[in-house]
Amino acid sequence: MEIERINENTVKFYISYIDIEERGFDRDEIWYNRERSEELFWEMMDEVHNEAEFTVEGPLWIQVQALEKGLEILVTKTQMSKDGQKFELPIPEDKLKDFPVDDRIEELLDQHFQPKDSQDAESIYEGDLEFLLVFNDFEDLIALSKRPGLDTIHTSLYSYEAKYYLYLEFPEEEFEDEEVIDDMLSILLEYGMESGITVHRLDEYGKKIIETDVFATLRKHFS
């Protein structure tokens, strides 16, 4: 995969169909299978994060151009307008025409990074919340485990393809205060990056290192 960092807010990368298939994805399913397309996108974003130090923060604007031998993808972080009412693109208008938008891919992150103003609080936190964070360095997990106030989160830890994945669950009956969840997520995202790989894939292909109470277990063994 070829990666080009355009500026602070934008990164462009190219992936060939051969590379897509070598990663275990079918060329057609990335267009018609939402779960698999999300999985591929987040796998690519993990690589972009590692090589270009492009960290996902808030809503993204995604453009995809289907080429003869692969896909060219432009990812831009959006910015809040001065009046705080909407998100704006931090790139010139004359550049937008260069990359036609593909709605199927653009929707991949909608469920992860919806502006709060677009939904009421009840709908955002309806039901149990589940997240999966990826860590490249085990030391980051050890450091995170020493942050106070996180032990109430239901956690499991996996290893997969030389990375560590922390599965987090916020049961609705235990986490009724949305501000508490926000505060916890802010701390968690200081150390890890949200991953699009599903926990079902980790159960099947990864290795579960810690079944439950990940933070307490790490402190016990790495105090």
Side-chain angles (χ1 to χ4, degrees):
M1 189 169 75
E2 301 175 9
I3 302 171
E4 178 184 358
R5 183 67 181 264
I6 306 299
N7 54 41
E8 180 182 355
N9 297 302
T10 304
V11 66
K12 180 172 69 175
F13 52 97
Y14 169 83
I15 183 169
S16 68
Y17 293 125
I18 294 177
D19 190 357
I20 290 174
E21 292 174 351
E22 288 179 347
R23 293 168 184 259
F25 297 87
D26 183 84
R27 177 171 172 172
D28 292 328
E29 73 178 347
I30 63 173
W31 298 114
Y32 303 109
N33 186 321
R34 181 186 179 92
E35 181 175 329
R36 291 289 282 167
S37 61
E38 282 191 11
E39 195 170 316
L40 173 62
F41 180 83
W42 279 107
E43 185 174 304
M44 293 188 293
M45 287 302 295
D46 284 345
E47 190 171 329
V48 169
H49 171 70
N50 295 334
E51 296 189 18
E53 298 183 353
F54 186 81
T55 303
V56 175
E57 298 173 341
L60 300 176
W61 186 72
I62 305 164
Q63 293 175 295
V64 178
Q65 185 172 15
L67 305 177
E68 181 180 356
K69 296 183 178 181
L71 302 176
E72 192 168 62
I73 303 169
L74 188 75
V75 179
T76 300
K77 301 176 187 178
T78 61
Q79 298 176 343
M80 183 68 73
S81 61
K82 293 182 179 180
D83 60 9
Q85 296 299 312
K86 63 180 180 178
F87 289 94
E88 299 177 335
L89 294 173
I91 57 178
E93 288 292 331
D94 60 352
K95 297 295 184 182
L96 300 183
K97 58 180 174 50
D98 296 336
F99 293 89
V101 177
D102 191 301
D103 291 337
R104 291 170 294 184
I105 301 296
E106 188 182 21
E107 292 175 355
L108 291 184
L109 298 184
D110 284 353
Q111 60 187 359
H112 296 286
F113 295 106
Q114 283 281 2
K116 289 184 180 179
D117 290 342
S118 67
Q119 305 179 55
D120 58 46
E122 183 177 353
S123 66
I124 294 175
Y125 294 105
E126 184 178 355
D128 296 348
L129 285 177
E130 299 177 357
F131 293 89
L132 192 64
L133 301 184
V134 59
F135 298 79
N136 296 316
D137 193 334
F138 193 75
E139 292 296 326
D140 291 335
L141 276 163
I142 296 175
L144 175 60
S145 71
K146 297 177 181 179
R147 295 290 296 267
L150 301 178
D151 285 351
T152 54
I153 306 173
H154 294 200
T155 54
S156 299
L157 184 63
Y158 297 80
S159 64
Y160 177 62
E161 295 185 346
K163 295 181 181 180
Y164 300 96
Y165 291 85
L166 180 65
Y167 174 71
L168 308 130
E169 184 178 2
F170 297 83
E172 183 180 15
E173 65 275 9
E174 298 178 27
F175 293 89
E176 298 180 354
D177 190 337
E178 64 191 58
E179 292 187 5
V180 171
I181 297 176
D182 280 344
D183 291 342
M184 288 182 170
L185 288 176
S186 295
I187 295 173
L188 292 163
L189 290 172
E190 291 179 19
Y191 297 84
M193 178 180 178
E194 190 172 6
S195 174
I197 292 180
T198 65
V199 70
H200 306 293
R201 184 174 183 180
L202 293 176
D203 283 328
E204 185 172 357
Y205 298 106
K207 178 181 179 181
K208 184 175 285 187
I209 302 175
I210 302 176
E211 178 76 28
T212 186
D213 297 328
V214 172
F215 300 130
T217 303
L218 289 176
R219 289 196 303 273
K220 178 180 178 182
H221 294 284
F222 301 95
S223 58

